[in-house]
Amino acid sequence: GHSSVCMFSVHSAACVRVCGCPAGVWLAAAVARMNLDGLDSWFKSVFVRKVDPRKDAHSNLLTKNEESNLYKIQFHNVKPECLDSYNKLCEDVLPSIHADKYYPCELVGTWNTWYGEQDQAVHLWRYRGGYPALTEVMNKLRQNKEFMEYRNERGKMLLSRRNQLLLEFSFWNEPVPREGPNIYELRSYQLRPGTMIEWGNYWARAIGYRQHNREAVGGFFSQIGNLYMVHHLWAYKDLQSREDTRNAAWQHDGWDEVVYYTVPLIQHMDSRIMIPMKASPLQ
């Protein structure tokens, strides 16, 4: 900041000496008149960006508060030789938890990754009632002998696993069961910190361009796990249908603008093409 003032002063003095530049004379005089308080005010006006105080967390501004749905997404990397056994194990146990009203949770979908990370399973759960429902389910499952046996057996088949807790964007449809056959694309975006509201503002408009073929399934953002992470879930009949649907979006006025302004918000992005397991409500 100080070097900038010095630079202006030198430039103005040079203008006076060389060409008698009126702008240089004025700037030199202005700098000469600056006292310490004036210099401080000038610094603030140029370099200090005013930030309006936030009235609420971005999660409350973007999500459906009245429904209080919490989601958990799980990524399980399975030993290649164990994938069939793993799928069978999941199909035997997960639907029973989904169907049992004793557990306030629902299996939204369960898939194997087809293109992307190989030998991977992805599970998406919904907890109606938010964090209390999640805690209740976890406590009850610890008392479930069948589930604990499932976890022990599952652990022998995995190379690694990770999860995230998510909220859903208010402008996306809530995921509901659908008939197949479909393939699903999970597009995951790591955003630059501080850009979630901006992303939501653009996609609240953009989602209207992507619902003509019922391809939009759900949109979520992370609360625990990798932060500033967004997941968009899409359904297509096949890969060619995906290509045709995505190309058609460019025919709508405004889609190009959304892409132009949201791409700079992204640090990293990833796409998985997934096939539903037999037990998945999303087929």
Side-chain angles (χ1 to χ4, degrees), residues 159-276:
L159 293 169
S160 65
R161 60 192 179 104
R162 62 186 177 91
N163 60 23
Q164 296 172 14
L165 294 181
L166 314 172
L167 297 176
E168 59 186 337
F169 285 112
S170 59
F171 46 84
W172 279 74
N173 296 328
E174 179 179 303
V176 295
R178 65 170 66 195
E179 296 180 352
N182 295 292
I183 62 171
Y184 289 81
E185 180 175 18
L186 182 66
R187 296 179 70 87
S188 302
Y189 304 88
Q190 180 69 62
L191 303 186
R192 292 190 292 107
T195 61
M196 187 66 73
I197 293 292
E198 191 174 356
W199 178 274
N201 287 340
Y202 282 115
W203 267 96
R205 179 159 50 99
I207 194 63
Y209 305 132
R210 296 296 310 276
Q211 292 180 323
H212 300 282
N213 294 327
R214 294 184 64 244
E215 68 267 25
V217 178
F220 315 91
F221 59 97
S222 62
Q223 283 291 281
I224 296 179
N226 288 358
L227 298 180
Y228 288 97
M229 177 71 73
V230 170
H231 298 287
H232 290 174
L233 183 62
W234 309 93
Y236 306 101
K237 291 301 179 185
D238 50 40
L239 288 174
Q240 185 59 53
S241 174
R242 170 187 177 274
E243 182 73 5
D244 295 342
T245 300
R246 288 174 55 81
N247 287 340
W250 291 95
Q251 307 306 313
H252 299 286
D253 291 337
W255 175 252
D256 56 342
E257 181 181 350
V258 170
V259 174
Y260 178 83
Y261 284 110
T262 55
V263 165
L265 310 181
I266 302 170
Q267 286 186 329
H268 176 76
M269 61 185 296
D270 189 43
S271 171
R272 290 174 176 83
I273 302 296
M274 308 184 302
I275 303 297

Side-chain angles (χ1 to χ4, degrees), residues 8-76:
F8 291 147
S9 302
V10 171
H11 170 71
S12 59
C15 287
V16 172
R17 288 198 306 270
V18 175
C19 61
C21 171
V25 174
W26 178 87
L27 184 55
V31 171
R33 288 196 302 270
M34 281 185 180
N35 57 27
L36 187 60
D37 291 338
L39 188 61
D40 180 63
S41 298
W42 183 81
F43 280 150
K44 289 181 179 179
S45 67
V46 174
F47 296 108
V48 178
R49 182 179 179 183
K50 187 178 185 304
V51 178
D52 294 329
R54 289 282 296 277
K55 301 301 183 184
D56 210 342
H58 73 251
S59 59
N60 291 337
L61 298 175
L62 291 169
T63 194
K64 305 173 183 178
N65 296 322
E66 70 278 4
E67 296 178 2
S68 299
N69 286 338
L70 179 69
Y71 291 80
K72 178 172 67 177
I73 192 166
Q74 300 171 298
F75 301 95
H76 291 172

